[in-house]
Amino acid sequence: QVQLVESGGGLVQAGGSLRLSCAASGRTFSNYAMGWFRQAPGKEREFVAACSWSGGRTYYADSVKGRFTISRDIAKNTMYLQMNSLKPEYTAVYYCNAARSETALKLLAYDYWGQGTQVTVSS
């Protein structure tokens, strides 16, 4: 059974940092692009970040560019999202996902996704 399990969410003050992790199991994602999207209450899903299978190419939503860093450890089948200088508008459930291409992730056309982790940024 394929699973993506996020962790690392929590409550943080504006300007603070969090590091999210996404552990994959059930298969290797070494040939998949992986990324993150988020969904705030009453809002649509929003692309956040994506990286290529090697982690060599990265993509970010304009709203998080310069604040978030995506990375992955293929050997550990784990992906990370370092989030710095957090803003209250970043409050949402963050999900990791995987797809055959980075383009698919940016279009939210993913093949696998996790259960999400709550990130709450207080002002």
Side-chain angles (χ1 to χ4, degrees):
Q1 182 181 359
V2 175
Q3 273 194 313
L4 295 175
V5 179
E6 302 93 338
S7 61
L11 173 62
V12 64
Q13 288 189 331
S17 298
L18 283 174
R19 188 193 194 207
L20 304 184
S21 298
C22 173
S25 62
R27 65 159 296 147
T28 178
F29 285 90
S30 59
N31 57 343
Y32 273 74
M34 295 188 71
W36 298 87
F37 70 96
R38 65 189 180 191
Q39 188 165 27
K43 294 190 176 181
E44 298 289 323
R45 294 173 301 153
E46 177 187 17
F47 165 77
V48 174
C51 65
S52 60
W53 67 270
S54 67
R57 294 187 301 273
T58 57
Y59 309 84
Y60 299 94
D62 288 343
S63 59
V64 305
K65 206 169 290 184
R67 298 174 184 266
F68 290 10
T69 303
I70 188 171
S71 62
R72 63 190 294 180
D73 186 329
I74 295 175
K76 294 183 178 179
N77 226 10
T78 301
M79 179 180 61
Y80 307 97
L81 186 68
Q82 178 66 43
M83 306 187 297
N84 299 329
S85 302
L86 286 164
K87 299 179 179 181
E89 52 261 46
Y90 292 167
T91 294
V93 178
Y94 283 69
Y95 300 84
C96 69
N97 55 1
R100 287 291 188 177
S101 72
E102 297 104 273
T103 299
L105 291 177
K106 288 188 278 186
L107 294 173
L108 299 177
Y110 39 85
D111 299 311
Y112 301 99
W113 66 98
Q115 84 290 346
T117 185
Q118 176 71 46
V119 171
T120 303
V121 185
S122 62
S123 57

